[in-house]
Amino acid sequence: MSPAQPFRLASGGRIDRSKPLTFHFDGKRYGGFEGDTLASALLANGVRVAGRSFRFHRPRGIFASGIEEPNVVVQLGEGALAEPNLKATEVVLRDGLVARAVNAWPSARFDIGAINDLFSPFLAAGFYYKTFMWPRWSWFSGAIRRMGGLGTVPSAPDAASYRQVYSFCDVLVIGGGPAGLSAALAAARSGARVVLAEATVDFGGSLLGADETIDGTQSAVWVERAVAALRAAGNVTLLPATTAFGYYDHNTMNLIDAQQMLHSVRARHVVLATGAFERPLVFRNNDRPNIMLASAARTYLNRYGVAAGRRAVIATNNDSAYPLALELAAHGVTVAAVVDSRNEAPNGFAAALANAGVRLLLGRSPVNAIGRAGVRAVEIAGYDGSSERIACDLLCVSGGWNPVVHLFSQSGGRLRYDDRLQTFVTAAWTQDGTVTGAAVGEFSLAGALRGGAVAGTAAARAAGFAVDDVPTPAVAAEPVQRASRAAWQTPDTGNGRAWVDLLNDVTSRDIRQAADENYRSVEHLKRYTTLGMAVDQGKTSNINAIGVLSDVLEKPIAEIGTTKFRPPFNPVRLGALAAGRTGRFYHPFQQLSAHRAHREATAAMEDYGGWLRPAFYPKPRETEETAVRREVLAVRRSVGVFDASPLGKLRVAGRDAAAFLDRIYVGMMSTLPVGRCRYDLMLYESGIVFDDGVVLRISEHEFLVGTTSAHASAVAFWLEEWLQCEWTSLQVTVEDVTNQWATMTLAGPQALTQLHALCIDAGITDDVLPHMRFCDSTIGEVPCRVTRVSFTGERSYEVSVPSQYGEALWRRCVAAGAVPVGLEAVMRLRLEKGFLHVGSDTDGTTYPQDLGYGTAIANKSTDFIGRRSTMLPEANRSERHQFVGIAPLAPGREIMAGSHLVHNGKSEGWVTSAGFSPVLGRFVALGMIRNGLARIGETVTLQNLGMRTQAQICAPCAYDPGGARLHA
């Protein structure tokens, strides 16, 4: 049997009373009907406290009826299917639904976290910026993290499946209210392909929550007929329960439907009929449960058959709330008073209210709400100094309307402040679209229907279709809208708090404090106070906040402006954005040809530049650091084998290959003899270091260009761009052959002995293959290339074979006695030698001169990419950061990457790479420091997270500076 619903009307609404449902909220069982939302069902059951605010855990009730709801945020389900941070107003009720309030324990009704409100004087705006700076609060970080956020992200993998679809249409209409339906009907008459998207499950928008007459019939009947006509048209696609959350270039709109399918729609013309959000009123204790927007109370009454209270007060500064008073009274709800801050009521309403027995109090505003678990009374004050207290259990507020301009702003459109409407409205478009209805400030029903028809007709014509003007549906005569009385906050705030952002607990006092502390930009105000953040994105708070700031600064609202509207307009599941790109499909890795062998050797595989590579090879009970040190010592004392296959290999060939590479690299490649190698840098046009690598000259017109692992594809595209767009006369081809070769590097004093053990068919000696040369040979019948280069400072040979033989080659090296070496050990080896690693030791400001390449640039006679930029004054300042080594004065002291290099109290640079050298018995580091090449031998202080270490600036190479080990 369905539980009783004491606030459900005996009849009315668009719910199906023949289909009762049961659900659980915060562990308690309730009843509802098909067609309810969780919010309407909670109200029907008399649940007043259904949520808690973020900062102070104050009790909150349902405030709105749509996606603008700031108070009642819930988590649905459990385990992998749990979904956090949904607004109760968006959750369609289903039988057996289980929901609980977020940010509340054990329940919204009784929340231990409410103790935070007692400490509110110490938790004012920006308190976290001031409190957690000193002393170090790391011991408290776990508790702070647990307090952050709202819902709980499921720990189990998401079991839902997601899809994305891409489509095109002539006219895309966003919003299925009166203006959107009218626009879609008009556009469809032309034969244009029309898509109509509506965020809720039912089309009709504001008409579903009102009792209006259109073309002589009830508005609900008109909506049904309009939807049926669109559904019957073969050129119209209807997307109910589909939210448009992002508007991008070229009229591309992203939408998400109830099945979590992501629609990316590109349209010739867009019609935004997104409606408007009602503004709250700001006064003392305006956050009490059962204070709600007047439009929400009207929607719950007419659409869901729910009276949100038994004795209501309606407070407004505009005409839109008056019909609610008459409708509540007609359904048996006692309306204690309509309180209007203006001195004159709309035409006809004063008499209608008197006939319904409703008091009308003009020139008055609410100044304080009484109650805690629900409003019990409201204090009213007049501008003449009068005041009274009126008992009520429902307070409906209306402070005017804000057009929903989020999507318009995302598209690049500009806004302007309208003094008559007291809100921001659309100004100039940058894309092919039209705004209509309440979204453009037309709040009358007749205006919305008329504007929609005009917009739909214009959109079809703009898309290239011929269509006649369509007649506008007839509506009953509407009274002329009287101007609202602007009041961003009631003048009497007393000692209580007036809440502007209900979800984030931001008060008008917080805004004043932020302005006093010089956070006067609206963007700074948002971040300092957290106003307009979280799941509602300030839909009910932003304009009031800007108005309060305007009053504080005594500056026109138009000059303050709004914050930037960014996608998503409403929260979207990350899974929907990723679609099938999850798990191993989220970031696919390239695997080495010897991947299986590395796994068998217990390699710890990690992501390096998109490749899954061995980081280290731990033995039983070895930590990562222990394994890395063991591998480093193996290379220094005997021989190690390192899988270097991902290093980029680009075949550059053609009659002009040498001249082409001269233009690419800082150094000369045309002078490189056949059979030899050369290390060099390539630059962006800005002169900033782009990549580095070793180049092999295979023949007179063929080179093998080496790149870093992560940049192989980028360098290939870079070279192709120059050939195809700038130097089209050069006869050169570029081919990425990285994946065609597997490369194993043998490094260490016994590397040559190990090389001979591979049975390479060539008499390789130091005379045949000195440092920086290569030769082609075979291993049995398998072709190979042996290159003598070193990234470790030890004698090293890179043996390359076709990729299908990579695993066999690696196993053969290990069987012959080479120790498997991971990338972390190789990076430690290069650190000891002071070798540059582009991307770790360089950034987007590093010129080659900063790395000691000034002489090479000066000596090169031909031009190359970036050369002219390296001649700019900025690139040649003596005070630039330059590449140096760093050694601790006390050998036992640790150096951490990222530490600042401090001299005379100022940061002069930073540590780019650091690690412990098991050979030297101390930490070694590289870094960038101001005018570093001239400061060798100078002492500096390394500072990181409060820890200080004395260190000396030195040459980058800490191990074997003479290079004798290359030939050992």
Side-chain angles (χ1 to χ4, degrees):
M1 181 176 180
S2 178
Q5 301 172 45
F7 287 85
R8 181 80 70 180
L9 299 179
S11 62
R14 295 173 58 85
I15 55 174
D16 189 343
R17 297 172 187 265
S18 67
K19 296 179 180 179
L21 308 174
T22 58
F23 67 99
H24 287 80
F25 179 73
D26 275 355
K28 190 173 180 180
R29 184 169 174 264
Y30 297 100
F33 294 106
E34 187 170 294
D36 267 323
T37 64
L38 177 60
S40 65
L42 288 173
L43 283 173
N45 284 272
V47 179
R48 292 192 172 189
V49 179
R52 290 280 168 166
S53 62
F54 174 63
R55 193 167 14 150
F56 300 135
H57 291 247
R58 286 173 65 87
R60 297 284 164 79
I62 293 161
F63 186 74
S65 59
I67 61 175
E68 72 273 27
E69 170 62 34
N71 282 350
V72 183
V73 182
V74 300
Q75 179 139 346
L76 298 185
E78 298 174 344
L81 295 178
E83 189 170 1
N85 298 343
L86 294 174
K87 306 180 189 78
T89 51
E90 291 183 283
V91 177
V92 176
L93 196 67
R94 64 177 186 272
D95 199 39
L97 181 141
V98 176
R100 62 179 179 84
V102 302
N103 199 48
W105 186 83
S107 69
R109 179 68 182 176
F110 178 75
D111 179 19
I112 297 296
I115 194 173
N116 285 8
D117 205 21
L118 300 177
F119 299 96
S120 59
F122 306 101
L123 303 176
F127 75 95
Y128 28 78
Y129 296 120
K130 305 167 187 176
T131 306
F132 303 115
M133 296 296 290
W134 184 92
R136 295 180 66 194
W137 285 81
S138 57
W139 62 273
F140 199 53
S141 61
I144 295 173
R145 288 184 182 278
R146 284 190 292 274
M147 292 171 62
L150 294 174
T152 302
V153 177
S155 57
D158 191 349
S161 60
Y162 301 94
R163 290 189 298 153
Q164 294 181 358
V165 294
Y166 299 86
S167 57
F168 173 83
C169 65
D170 298 306
V171 178
L172 172 61
V173 182
I174 303 299
L181 288 171
S182 185
L185 287 168
R189 287 166 57 100
S190 69
R193 288 169 292 180
V194 178
V195 173
L196 173 61
E198 162 59 31
T200 63
V201 294
D202 295 314
F203 292 95
S206 61
L207 296 177
L208 301 180
D211 187 10
E212 306 284 356
T213 301
I214 303 176
D215 281 344
T217 65
Q218 284 187 315
S219 55
V221 175
W222 181 86
V223 169
E224 290 175 0
R225 291 175 179 173
V227 172
L230 292 171
R231 196 166 274 131
N235 59 325
V236 177
T237 300
L238 298 180
L239 297 177
T242 301
T243 301
F245 65 86
Y247 196 155
Y248 306 96
D249 293 341
H250 310 295
N251 262 8
T252 300
M253 193 87 71
N254 277 359
L255 309 96
I256 190 80
D257 66 19
Q259 285 72 44
Q260 299 302 311
M261 180 186 290
L262 179 66
H263 300 256
S264 185
V265 183
R266 186 169 178 179
R268 292 185 189 275
H269 202 87
V270 171
V271 177
L272 294 180
T274 46
F277 292 137
E278 192 168 23
R279 275 199 305 266
L281 296 173
V282 180
F283 54 92
R284 270 187 292 158
N285 297 312
N286 60 329
D287 67 329
R288 299 302 188 195
N290 258 39
I291 297 177
M292 68 170 55
L293 295 173
S295 60
R298 195 179 185 195
T299 295
Y300 290 121
L301 185 74
N302 293 310
R303 183 172 181 178
Y304 299 106
V306 173
R310 306 198 187 282
R311 179 180 174 84
V313 170
I314 300 171
T316 184
N317 67 356
N318 64 90
D319 296 359
S320 66
Y322 277 79
L324 170 63
L326 300 176
E327 292 168 5
L328 284 172
H331 284 89
V333 177
T334 300
V335 180
V338 172
V339 180
D340 194 334
S341 62
R342 302 170 299 179
N343 293 318
E344 191 175 347
N347 294 335
F349 275 107
L353 292 177
N355 291 335
V358 178
R359 291 178 65 198
L360 176 60
L361 303 177
L362 298 173
R364 293 170 172 80
S365 296
V367 294
N368 188 22
I370 311 300
R372 179 162 181 80
V375 63
R376 294 185 289 103
V378 58
E379 293 181 358
I380 304 297
Y383 291 93
D384 58 0
S386 61
S387 64
E388 67 174 294
R389 177 179 292 192
I390 304 175
C392 64
D393 65 353
L394 172 64
L395 175 58
C396 305
V397 296
S398 177
W401 293 84
N402 300 323
V404 179
V405 295
H406 299 65
L407 294 173
F408 172 83
S409 183
Q410 289 174 17
S411 75
R414 289 185 289 106
L415 305 176
R416 64 176 178 83
Y417 185 74
D418 188 301
D419 288 312
R420 181 180 67 86
L421 299 176
Q422 300 159 22
T423 189
F424 286 91
V425 297
T426 59
W429 271 90
T430 59
Q431 301 201 47
D432 296 326
T434 307
V435 188
T436 187
V440 78
E442 178 52 75
F443 299 130
S444 71
L445 176 57
L449 293 169
R450 180 175 56 254
V454 171
T457 302
R461 289 171 180 165
F465 293 84
V467 59
D468 297 330
D469 293 334
V470 297
T472 302
V475 300
E478 297 175 286
V480 177
Q481 296 284 315
R482 299 184 60 82
S484 303
R485 178 167 189 161
W488 305 113
Q489 180 179 346
T490 55
D492 175 19
T493 59
N495 295 322
R497 289 170 288 178
W499 305 89
V500 179
D501 188 317
L502 296 173
L503 178 58
N504 291 296
D505 282 329
V506 180
T507 66
S508 58
R509 187 180 303 169
D510 291 328
I511 296 173
R512 289 195 296 272
Q513 177 187 323
D516 289 342
E517 296 182 9
N518 215 32
Y519 291 94
R520 301 186 171 201
S521 160
V522 68
E523 295 285 5
H524 293 163
L525 173 71
K526 173 180 178 178
R527 285 151 184 82
Y528 190 64
T529 63
T530 70
L531 190 147
M533 297 186 180
V535 294
D536 75 319
Q537 288 292 294
K539 292 178 177 65
T540 60
S541 61
N542 279 351
I543 301 300
N544 278 338
I546 295 169
V548 172
L549 183 63
S550 169
D551 290 345
V552 172
L553 300 180
E554 298 181 350
K555 182 178 180 180
I557 291 180
E559 295 182 19
I560 292 176
T562 67
T563 56
K564 181 70 173 178
F565 295 103
R566 298 179 177 87
F569 169 65
N570 205 42
V572 178
R573 282 192 189 184
L574 295 177
L577 297 177
R581 299 183 295 274
T582 59
R584 62 190 180 93
F585 298 110
Y586 170 65
H587 180 48
F589 293 116
Q590 298 186 78
Q591 291 188 359
L592 303 167
S593 60
H595 178 83
R596 181 176 57 180
H598 294 308
R599 286 288 197 190
E600 291 175 3
T602 70
M605 309 297 286
E606 295 183 8
D607 174 18
Y608 294 96
W611 287 83
L612 202 58
R613 305 175 66 181
F616 55 97
Y617 298 83
K619 292 186 175 182
R621 294 184 294 279
E622 263 192 339
T623 64
E624 176 179 351
E625 181 62 23
T626 303
V628 169
R629 293 185 187 185
R630 174 179 53 76
E631 293 169 16
V632 167
L633 291 174
V635 173
R636 295 292 184 219
R637 295 172 179 173
S638 56
V639 63
V641 58
F642 166 65
D643 194 334
S645 302
L647 289 173
K649 308 169 195 64
L650 309 179
R651 180 179 178 271
V652 178
R655 185 190 66 189
D656 300 314
F660 171 60
L661 292 179
D662 281 347
R663 301 181 189 184
I664 295 295
Y665 283 99
V666 171
M668 294 290 290
M669 291 301 163
S670 58
T671 59
L672 181 64
V674 174
R676 295 198 178 185
C677 320
R678 182 168 292 164
Y679 169 84
D680 216 333
L681 301 175
M682 59 178 66
L683 314 179
Y684 289 108
E685 291 173 277
S686 60
I688 300 300
V689 174
F690 173 35
D691 200 62
D692 68 342
V694 174
V695 178
L696 285 64
R697 189 162 195 173
I698 309 301
S699 65
E700 181 181 359
H701 300 308
E702 182 181 356
F703 295 80
L704 189 69
V705 171
T707 73
T708 55
S709 302
H711 270 176
S713 297
V715 173
F717 287 136
W718 172 256
L719 300 184
E720 285 287 0
E721 181 180 354
W722 284 98
L723 286 172
Q724 296 186 32
C725 301
E726 303 297 334
W727 302 321
T728 56
S729 62
L730 294 183
Q731 293 187 17
V732 179
T733 61
V734 175
E735 182 183 5
D736 188 348
V737 296
T738 303
N739 291 327
Q740 297 180 24
W741 294 89
T743 301
M744 303 302 157
T745 300
L746 296 168
Q750 299 176 20
L752 183 57
T753 303
Q754 175 78 193
L755 192 67
H756 291 156
L758 295 179
C759 301
I760 293 180
D761 186 19
I764 295 178
T765 64
D766 286 349
D767 294 332
V768 172
L769 195 64
H771 187 56
M772 296 305 283
R773 293 201 184 189
F774 71 92
C775 69
D776 291 335
S777 185
T778 59
I779 303 177
E781 297 182 356
V782 178
C784 72
R785 174 172 292 147
V786 183
T787 307
R788 189 170 174 186
V789 292
S790 179
F791 194 52
T792 64
E794 301 290 339
R795 175 189 290 270
S796 298
Y797 300 91
E798 292 184 357
V799 183
S800 299
V801 296
S803 59
Q804 64 266 34
Y805 300 105
E807 180 177 348
L809 177 59
W810 190 85
R811 290 184 186 277
R812 196 171 210 178
C813 292
V814 173
V819 175
V821 173
L823 193 58
E824 292 302 315
V826 172
M827 296 302 288
R828 195 73 58 88
L829 291 161
R830 73 94 190 171
L831 183 61
E832 293 174 339
K833 281 295 295 180
F835 289 151
L836 175 74
H837 184 244
V838 172
S840 295
D841 300 313
T842 65
D843 59 19
T845 66
T846 307
Y847 286 96
Q849 298 97 304
D850 304 332
L851 307 173
Y853 271 71
T855 302
I857 294 173
N859 290 341
K860 187 170 181 179
S861 58
T862 60
D863 201 6
F864 59 89
I865 296 171
R867 178 167 192 163
R868 276 164 281 186
S869 297
T870 65
M871 297 177 180
L872 293 172
E874 169 61 24
N876 292 282
R877 286 188 301 108
S878 61
E879 293 299 303
R880 287 193 57 79
H881 292 97
Q882 295 173 336
F883 185 58
V884 296
I886 302 160
L889 292 184
R893 296 305 298 270
E894 180 181 2
I895 298 179
M896 297 177 62
S899 299
H900 281 266
L901 302 173
V902 179
H903 184 69
N904 292 332
K906 293 183 178 180
S907 176
E908 299 278 298
W910 58 93
V911 177
T912 58
S913 307
F916 182 81
S917 168
V919 174
L920 301 176
R922 64 173 175 82
F923 274 82
V924 291
L926 301 171
M928 301 291 286
I929 189 168
R930 198 180 308 278
N931 196 21
L933 297 179
R935 299 172 66 174
I936 302 297
E938 185 176 308
T939 298
V940 292
T941 300
L942 273 59
Q943 186 168 325
N944 189 316
L945 299 176
M947 295 183 292
R948 291 179 172 84
T949 302
Q950 296 298 110
Q952 186 179 62
I953 301 173
C954 57
C957 183
Y959 172 79
D960 187 30
R965 302 288 298 181
L966 285 174
H967 311 286

